[in-house]
Amino acid sequence: MQTYGYAAYSNDSPLAPFKFERRALRPNDVAMEILYCGVCHSDLHTARNDWGWSHYPIVPGHEIVGRVTGVGAGVTRHRVGDHVAVGCIVDSCMECDQCERGEEQLCRNGCTGTYAGRDRITQAPTQGGYSKHLVVREEFCLRVPDGLDLAKAAPLLCAGITTWSPLRTWKVGPGSRVAVIGLGGLGHMAVKLAVGLGADVTVLSRSKDKEADALALGAHRLLVSADAEAMRQAASGFDLIIDTVPVKHSLKPYLPLLDVDATLVLVGQIGPLDELSTVPLLFGRRRIAGSPIGGIRETQELLDFCAQKNILPDCEMIRMDQINAAFERMEKADVRYRFVIDMATLSAA
Ligand code: NAP
Ligand code: ZN
């Protein structure tokens, strides 16, 4: 099927219109018209080739909400007209122990990214959600629960699940003391979800600028990470710290904030950190971990949780032709707190 979208053509050119093919429906495929697509910092990293694995042209977008327009002959989970969602992965081997546990993001044979991946059958490059249509294997297509605002649900598919998964892995609940480094797309979802789970939540930000926002999102306080005295007073005060910073940075100021056996989980930056001493790790029995997105089952759990608790991201709706300006604002951390593209604006663009 011919479709169209917006693609990056190189690491230093603006995104621009792009025509391409979506595959014909396989028996286990769902076709959808995309209604909304969130703008993740990973889209920007990929367009700019910050991680060194981009191929061009590339259509970013992995926070996708759409309406089913067709199903393959063997599809049982979705019907034409259903509201569905797709996140960061569109396939995995479905045979290894991790896939069997519902942790497709950790597939032993490598899961397939919604963009910048390769189709497991044809090896064709996968293209993301800044586009009119998508064809996806039915198991990787999620149900949007009734009552969840379609226009705001998209960011749950990446910013939501990437912060939900560590909250669940480290069993956050009432009484847990959680800190979130960086109040952006991921960070603001981490705050809302941790609050929804009953935790005591602190935002660690670079300045006081976002303090009122942090409190409005439900956080109990904001600490300025450059304020040495405030950081000293917070020592050993957290069970889990979720670090969403997108660029190379130092963990030095944050490790002393972990309590004994507590964990700092990196979900933001990919690549080397600034040099680190093992002293706070050894003497406090503290841990550093990483976490990639989440599995399909856990993503469905998140969507259902958000529908039930009425938790939604704070979205700024944009038109497709505003994407380059949105990327520039994201680079300056000027997003409150997630851009979402109204895909109805794509045909005009
Ligand atoms: P974002 O909306 O741009 O937010 C990032 C936040 O980090 C900013 O709002 C800012 O918060 C802080 N920050 C930005 N630049 C910084 C700097 N130079 N030093 C310290 N803090 C800085 O980005 P996002 O969409 O949340 O994504 C965050 C990162 O997660 C990206 O690198 C993205 O690729 C990655 N990611 C990973 C996964 C995964 O599976 N693990 C999934 C999705 C995204 P303050 O202004 O409050 O300091
Ligand atoms: Zn993302």
Side-chain angles (χ1 to χ4, degrees), residues 84-274:
V84 290
V86 176
C88 303
I89 53 177
V90 286
D91 207 353
S92 68
C93 81
M94 298 297 262
E95 283 170 8
C96 72
D97 58 333
Q98 292 303 325
C99 287
E100 268 169 18
R101 290 172 55 196
E103 305 242 61
E104 302 87 353
Q105 80 282 18
L106 299 172
C107 174
R108 303 276 181 197
N109 298 301
C111 59
T112 306
T114 302
Y115 59 78
R118 295 257 166 211
D119 183 273
R120 298 183 100 77
I121 296 170
T122 64
Q123 300 305 311
T126 56
Q127 301 286 16
Y130 296 2
S131 62
K132 189 73 186 165
H133 307 100
L134 180 66
V135 175
V136 63
R137 185 174 170 174
E138 66 166 328
E139 295 94 328
F140 290 80
C141 190
L142 294 122
R143 223 173 357 88
V144 179
D146 290 339
L148 201 61
D149 183 343
L150 282 182
K152 291 187 174 175
L156 298 177
L157 278 299
C158 176
I161 184 59
T162 301
T163 50
W164 178 251
S165 185
L167 291 169
R168 300 292 282 161
T169 298
W170 279 278
K171 303 191 172 20
V172 164
S176 303
R177 298 159 302 165
V178 174
V180 178
I181 310 176
L183 196 61
L186 267 57
H188 98 292
M189 281 315 306
V191 168
K192 290 193 184 211
L193 295 170
V195 169
L197 288 167
D200 181 86
V201 180
T202 302
V203 171
L204 301 170
S205 191
R206 289 169 295 172
S207 73
K208 261 198 176 316
D209 292 357
K210 296 176 180 172
E211 187 171 45
D213 287 2
L215 299 178
L217 291 165
H220 299 88
R221 64 198 71 76
L222 178 142
L223 287 186
V224 177
S225 45
D227 180 343
E229 178 52 25
M231 293 291 270
R232 203 188 53 74
Q233 283 181 16
S236 303
F238 299 106
D239 304 304
L240 181 69
I241 301 179
I242 301 183
D243 180 344
T244 75
V245 174
V247 293
K248 185 175 182 187
H249 61 292
S250 173
L251 299 188
K252 228 188 218 166
Y254 305 113
L255 293 179
L257 305 189
L258 293 169
D259 204 350
V260 173
D261 286 331
T263 300
L264 181 147
V265 58
L266 292 153
V267 297
Q269 187 231 347
I270 295 181
L273 290 162
D274 272 352

Side-chain angles (χ1 to χ4, degrees), residues 142-145 295-305:
L142 294 122
R143 223 173 357 88
V144 179
I296 297 298
R297 190 184 307 148
E298 203 168 50
T299 308
Q300 190 65 60
E301 172 192 79
L302 165 69
L303 293 175
D304 296 343
F305 178 81

Side-chain angles (χ1 to χ4, degrees), residues 40 42 62-63 88 158 338:
C40 178
S42 302
H62 57 204
E63 295 185 336
C88 303
C158 176
R338 198 57 142 186

